[in-house]
Amino acid sequence: MWASLLGAEWCKIMGNRRATFSMIGIFPALAILATVVGLLMAGLSSSFRSALQEDPALWTEAAILPWLVPNNPLGRALLLGFAAVLFAGEYQWNTWKSIVPRTRRLPLLLVKFVTVAAFVVLAFTLTSILLTLGLGLVAWVAGAPFGPPLSSAVLCDFAEDYGLQVFYAFLSTMIAAGMVALVAMLTRSILASALVSIVIAIGETLLIVPLYLLAALLRTDGILHLYRVLPGYNLLNFFTWLAGETPEGLEMPSGELIIDGELFSAVVLVIWMIGLISLSAYLFNRQDI
Amino acid sequence: MQAVEDLSLEVAAGQVYGFLGPNGAGKTTTIRMLLDLIRPDQGDVFLFGQHIRRERTVLRRVGSLVEGASFYDFLTGRRNLEVLALTSNLDLPAAQFDAVLDLVDMREASRRRVRGYSTGMKQRLGIAAAMLADPDLVILDEPANGLDPYGINEVRALARRLVDEFGKTVFLSSHQLGEVEQVCDRVAIIHHGRLLREGSVAELVSEKSRLRIEAEPVEQTLAVLARRGATVTEDGTALLIEAKRTEVPLIVEELVHHGIRVYAVSAQRQSLENYFLSVTKGQDERVG
């Protein structure tokens, strides 16, 4: 059944070419474009060649670069849009009424989460491969090294970094999809789902301001701890750790500085992911269509 | 107010069963409950004697077209059917797609994207989609909505073919009474979520017929009929009353008994539309 449901989602996504390309296909396309531009510059510009020789590109960084997209506001907006097409599309096109009598609701909804995750991982993996190969080609044309040299230590470090970045992108995408699924049930419109989800995603990070003011006004740090369990804060915190930096932390009105660890944020994000998916599944199961 | 209340319908296999009611009567709500698209606040829904939620597979015996056909308009007609088959976990041979597309005369058009289809083509594709899994029961909710007279005629003929040629049972919800009268074997009329009447079209329209009586003297005839409690309207030289077919001999006998000369008594056949209006209006007056 799952393969069949995934096949149906695949048909829909591949058939909806404009939406799929503009929100997901654009990433591998950009990787190809970057390669073409890089090759042209390497062929035509000696200053570009010498710059690349002096400060060579690293394949370890090139491969990871696409996975940073979910942490970028524009990239996140595109992912939210893609999820909105998947979840709100059935409402907007009025197609749930044809599907729901044929299959149980839970698999119908869960397969959409699987599809979002699969497509995002697939698109970014492809982008990652294209960008790495492309930059390697540009480096070769420019006569620049494209390190670091392969060794078991380099590969182990790279695998760990790459895995964590994929995990981060997966969590970020699934939380976004969970949010979109809930909004789609209310708005039943692709555009409204995408816009409301973007507003929520941005608004959630801005919650720090009223929470901080309230905490200062009531002279209690407790309220500010609410911010520590929001997905936006933890995504940023987790990402900062991944980038090899120490997060700035959260300064309480009392002056206490709280720096949450990588594991804390990962656990909070996983709880959010499970919570949002479970809630959307519960509500969808009871929803009138 | 309850949208639907204690509604039980018995639809015999191999019939076109009309489901009638004015707007807001609960027709679509009933169909949506049958298909598990909405959940009743109270009570349960049974289909083929099985609880639709506990025996989920029972819905596999049903094909449906609810409130107009809706498709992924960026896919071709055929691709839409393939997606529906995948969603239903049906591994259908290509011949099955061809067969249902041929049934609605859409094989050629199914290669084009749905975006360019007319309303009639979408409705026909919707019927093809409903037939895809070779269901026992086909539920068509207002299938003629938005169609021109040719389209309405096509859908009507198609509903009949599903029963006569393919042995299906068709549950047809409509407020186009002429359509129902022509195609349905039996009908149910619901109003305010309650079943008002159920029977064959012939039974229902003959349940209350209009009698045209030509008799003299008119004043005396009026008085006799008034004593029976009949509402009489004059139509030129004739009097019109509503009466059951079984009452006709009694009325004639009574008129003759009072020395009235009866020249002609004829029953005017009532249309389903008149019947429908009389029973739903009567219900409204009682509710009011």
Side-chain angles (χ1 to χ4, degrees):
Chain A
M1 180 186 70
W2 287 96
S4 193
L5 288 176
L6 277 168
E9 291 298 329
W10 172 267
C11 288
K12 286 184 247 176
I13 289 173
M14 296 317 282
N16 199 358
R17 283 180 216 140
R18 201 176 302 166
T20 304
F21 176 78
S22 60
M23 286 177 281
I24 286 291
I26 194 166
F27 297 114
L30 282 175
I32 294 170
L33 184 69
T35 304
V36 172
V37 171
L39 284 173
L40 283 174
M41 290 181 74
L44 300 173
S45 165
S46 57
S47 58
F48 179 80
R49 283 196 296 271
S50 51
L52 207 57
Q53 283 158 4
E54 283 168 24
D55 186 15
L58 299 173
W59 65 265
T60 45
E61 287 180 1
I64 281 177
L65 199 61
W67 296 99
L68 308 184
V69 167
N71 198 45
N72 172 291
L74 180 64
R76 191 176 293 181
L78 288 174
L79 292 182
L80 286 167
F82 177 66
V85 172
L86 245 78
F87 286 98
E90 307 286 4
Y91 291 101
Q92 185 164 312
W93 303 319
N94 215 359
T95 39
W96 272 134
K97 68 179 183 190
S98 310
I99 301 172
V100 163
R102 296 164 189 263
T103 310
R104 286 189 178 278
R105 293 188 186 205
L106 187 62
L108 283 176
L109 190 79
L110 292 183
V111 82
K112 291 203 176 282
F113 283 103
V114 175
T115 306
V116 171
F119 255 79
V120 169
V121 169
L122 201 71
F124 288 153
T125 303
L126 184 63
T127 310
S128 173
I129 292 168
L130 288 173
L131 196 65
T132 309
L133 292 175
L135 282 184
L137 197 62
V138 172
W140 179 71
V141 170
F146 192 54
L150 287 178
S151 69
S152 58
V154 166
L155 283 175
C156 277
D157 281 353
F158 172 73
E160 190 185 340
D161 286 352
Y162 199 86
L164 282 170
Q165 286 293 353
V166 173
F167 179 61
Y168 169 79
F170 170 77
L171 278 179
S172 177
T173 303
M174 292 306 270
I175 288 169
M179 208 183 296
V180 171
L182 289 172
V183 177
M185 281 180 216
L186 296 173
T187 64
R188 298 184 177 223
S189 145
I190 295 172
L191 186 63
S193 300
L195 291 178
V196 171
S197 303
I198 290 168
V199 168
I200 290 174
I202 295 169
E204 179 224 323
T205 54
L206 297 177
L207 259 182
I208 183 72
V209 179
L211 285 176
Y212 193 90
L213 289 175
L214 201 61
L217 197 70
L218 299 174
R219 294 170 191 276
T220 168
D221 289 351
I223 293 168
L224 212 52
H225 287 292
L226 283 175
Y227 189 71
R228 292 175 61 208
V229 294
L230 292 179
Y233 163 78
N234 286 290
L235 280 170
L236 185 65
N237 192 57
F238 190 58
F239 181 75
T240 313
W241 282 113
L242 279 188
E245 299 162 14
T246 307
E248 287 179 14
L250 201 60
E251 192 178 345
M252 297 285 163
S254 62
E256 184 191 1
L257 180 69
I258 294 180
I259 296 176
D260 289 308
E262 203 171 359
L263 185 63
F264 171 85
S265 285
V267 169
V268 170
L269 290 171
V270 168
I271 290 171
W272 267 100
M273 181 183 76
I274 294 170
L276 286 169
I277 294 173
S278 304
L279 183 62
S280 55
Y282 173 76
L283 293 177
F284 181 61
N285 212 31
R286 302 174 63 85
Q287 189 180 36
D288 287 349
I289 288 169
Chain B
M1 186 181 163
Q2 286 177 303
V4 177
E5 192 181 341
D6 196 21
L7 186 65
S8 180
L9 302 169
E10 198 170 319
V11 182
Q15 284 191 340
V16 181
Y17 189 94
F19 192 46
L20 309 180
N23 287 339
K27 300 189 297 292
T28 299
T29 304
T30 304
I31 287 174
R32 285 178 174 256
M33 284 195 293
L34 281 174
L35 296 171
D36 198 28
L37 293 172
I38 58 176
R39 307 277 160 83
D41 297 329
Q42 286 181 323
D44 298 287
V45 181
F46 293 86
L47 203 58
F48 298 115
Q50 290 178 298
H51 195 285
I52 59 160
R53 302 218 67 213
R54 288 187 213 123
E55 305 287 340
R56 180 79 194 183
T57 48
V58 75
L59 284 175
R60 291 189 168 264
R61 296 174 64 188
V62 182
S64 60
L65 169 61
V66 184
E67 281 193 319
S70 301
F71 293 102
Y72 306 102
D73 64 2
F74 47 84
L75 298 178
T76 65
R78 193 184 181 94
R79 200 68 164 158
N80 265 285
L81 297 188
E82 287 166 358
V83 166
L84 272 180
L86 282 169
T87 311
S88 317
N89 199 23
L90 292 171
D91 186 15
L92 299 177
Q96 176 69 4
F97 293 103
D98 293 340
V100 293
L101 287 167
D102 284 341
L103 172 71
V104 294
D105 196 21
M106 286 285 290
R107 177 109 73 116
E108 275 300 307
S110 72
R111 294 181 188 142
R112 301 205 311 266
R113 286 189 190 175
V114 171
R115 191 173 287 146
Y117 285 10
S118 66
T119 309
M121 289 164 83
K122 284 183 187 170
Q123 292 292 78
R124 274 152 54 201
L125 187 65
I127 293 174
M131 287 291 290
L132 196 59
D134 194 22
D136 296 321
L137 173 66
V138 181
I139 296 177
L140 304 176
D141 181 22
E142 305 281 5
N145 261 8
L147 299 185
D148 60 19
Y150 293 107
I152 292 173
N153 201 34
E154 269 181 348
V155 167
R156 191 193 298 150
L158 206 49
R160 201 61 249 176
R161 273 186 71 199
L162 295 183
V163 171
D164 297 339
E165 283 182 36
F166 298 92
K168 305 297 175 193
T169 303
V170 174
F171 186 84
L172 176 76
S173 150
S174 180
H175 61 254
Q176 303 208 5
L177 300 167
E179 170 192 48
V180 170
E181 192 169 5
Q182 288 183 53
V183 77
C184 293
D185 300 298
R186 287 182 76 80
V187 296
I189 298 176
I190 68 161
H191 195 31
H192 298 308
R194 286 184 172 178
L195 182 67
L196 292 186
R197 295 281 193 286
E198 205 242 359
S200 72
V201 175
E203 275 169 19
L204 293 183
V205 295
S206 64
E207 188 182 288
K208 276 185 180 178
S209 58
R210 181 171 280 192
L211 290 184
R212 183 184 165 86
I213 302 172
E214 291 177 43
E216 282 182 347
V218 173
E219 283 72 24
Q220 203 180 338
T221 310
L222 279 170
V224 170
L225 294 174
R227 272 203 298 276
R228 289 186 59 84
T231 309
V232 187
T233 51
E234 292 188 48
D235 179 23
T237 57
L239 301 173
L240 301 174
I241 65 165
E242 280 199 353
K244 290 180 183 171
R245 186 179 164 79
T246 51
E247 289 176 294
V248 175
L250 298 173
I251 291 169
V252 173
E253 194 180 327
E254 201 169 343
L255 290 173
V256 171
H257 180 72
H258 283 86
I260 295 167
R261 295 185 300 280
V262 179
Y263 296 105
V265 178
S266 57
Q268 291 185 325
R269 191 179 181 276
Q270 192 174 215
S271 69
L272 184 61
E273 185 170 350
N274 286 338
Y275 177 79
F276 173 82
L277 290 172
S278 69
V279 292
T280 53
K281 194 178 169 198
Q283 183 72 10
D284 279 339
E285 281 163 2
R286 271 195 289 281
V287 171

